[in-house]
Amino acid sequence: MGRAFQNRKESMAKTADAKTKVYSKYGREIYVCAKAGGTDPHSNLALRGLMERAKKDQVPSHVIDKALDKASGAGGEDFSAARYEGFGPGNAMVIVECLTDNPNRTFGDVRGCFTKTKSKIGTPGSVSHMFDHCAIFAFAGNDEEAVLEALMEADVDVTDIEQEDGRITVFAPHTDYAKAKQALLDTFGEIDFEADEIQFLPQTTTPVEGDDVAMFEKLLGMLNDLDDVQNVYHSAELPESNE
């Protein structure tokens, strides 16, 4: 079946400026996650997964600790989540997730990226209904049945489960994230998750060809360069040599 998801274990940013941007995105996300669910990673499973992912992406401990310290204090920035949707080059659907302390500025910046790449920003819900909002866990393993049984016993509404090349991938509704992760940890102990996050997965993909390929990659690059942008999801099927 092979439902494609964005694996964040991508090649580490090569320039100091790009690394700083990665650290900043993680710091902001950790701060918001800890502020919402508490700074203890044992009771806040979303925070635990985020911290583990940050460490895999070589984010320094002091960046993580600073974000946690800020979250445990009374002050700090007031970041809120914002989501923008639209159509990119080739009419592929795009979802942009942001954390911002100034929604007006962020909307203007995101809209500018769409406008400069001949793309169209839409209204809330204009494309998200064509995506599944999934909790995704991927880890080494071969016993698909044992994993499914553990999740079913925990009353997790499993959307899909795959076993391929010694890796098991579980898809569940985003609302079941904590329940699914706890069930996996309770049953199999400490797991080195290759993927442990919530994503938007497109229900269908859109082939992007010709001149639209470079323009779509320009849109992705511009969006990812914005400090307020945390994640960009899309339905584009790009030629392999350009991915």
Side-chain angles (χ1 to χ4, degrees):
M1 209 172 300
R3 299 197 70 187
F5 64 91
Q6 297 179 32
N7 194 331
R8 284 210 214 170
K9 285 175 70 177
E10 295 163 354
S11 56
M12 203 40 207
K14 291 183 174 60
T15 68
D17 185 50
K19 282 186 179 181
T20 301
K21 202 171 287 291
V22 170
Y23 300 162
S24 172
K25 286 181 189 292
Y26 268 115
R28 189 178 294 197
E29 199 171 349
I30 288 168
Y31 167 79
V32 171
C33 186
K35 193 88 172 172
T39 57
D40 182 0
H42 296 291
S43 57
N44 186 345
L45 290 180
L47 176 63
R48 180 174 168 179
L50 195 52
M51 289 171 62
E52 288 169 355
R53 202 159 65 236
K55 288 170 183 173
K56 282 181 181 174
D57 279 351
Q58 300 173 20
V59 176
S61 295
H62 70 81
V63 173
I64 298 171
D65 293 341
K66 183 180 177 183
L68 293 174
D69 287 344
K70 282 163 65 177
S72 61
E77 298 94 336
D78 185 19
F79 289 112
S80 59
R83 184 185 302 149
Y84 306 105
E85 308 175 25
F87 295 88
N91 215 34
M93 299 176 290
V94 180
I95 294 177
V96 185
E97 285 189 329
C98 304
L99 288 174
T100 177
D101 56 357
N102 186 331
N104 290 333
R105 178 198 66 222
T106 304
F107 176 70
D109 290 345
V110 171
R111 183 175 56 186
C113 295
F114 275 82
T115 303
K116 290 171 186 172
T117 54
K118 300 177 183 175
S119 306
K120 184 180 178 183
I121 196 163
T123 55
S126 56
V127 305
S128 57
H129 67 283
M130 294 298 293
F131 286 73
D132 292 325
H133 202 188
C134 292
I136 303 167
F137 303 95
F139 49 93
N142 292 294
D143 197 343
E144 187 180 338
E145 290 298 322
V147 172
L148 182 58
E149 187 178 332
L151 293 167
M152 297 293 275
E153 282 185 4
D155 200 27
V156 174
D157 184 16
V158 180
T159 307
D160 201 357
I161 185 166
E162 299 170 3
Q163 194 280 315
E164 188 177 4
D165 299 330
R167 182 179 79 172
I168 290 176
T169 308
V170 172
F171 300 90
H174 71 281
T175 49
D176 277 5
Y177 169 85
K179 193 160 52 170
K181 182 167 185 178
Q182 193 62 59
L184 292 171
L185 293 173
D186 287 347
T187 306
F188 303 104
E190 287 302 312
I191 298 175
D192 183 16
F193 288 103
E194 186 181 327
D196 165 13
E197 52 197 286
I198 292 172
Q199 294 189 10
F200 281 94
L201 296 184
Q203 295 165 5
T204 58
T205 56
T206 309
V208 175
E209 300 165 333
D211 294 341
D212 287 335
V213 173
M215 192 63 81
F216 196 90
E217 289 179 339
K218 181 181 178 183
L219 171 63
L220 295 181
M222 289 177 68
L223 287 170
N224 281 314
D225 279 344
L226 295 178
D227 289 338
D228 295 338
V229 171
Q230 294 296 118
N231 298 297
V232 181
Y233 305 108
H234 61 80
S235 66
E237 191 179 314
L238 299 166
E240 280 191 24
S241 58
N242 289 286
E243 281 188 335

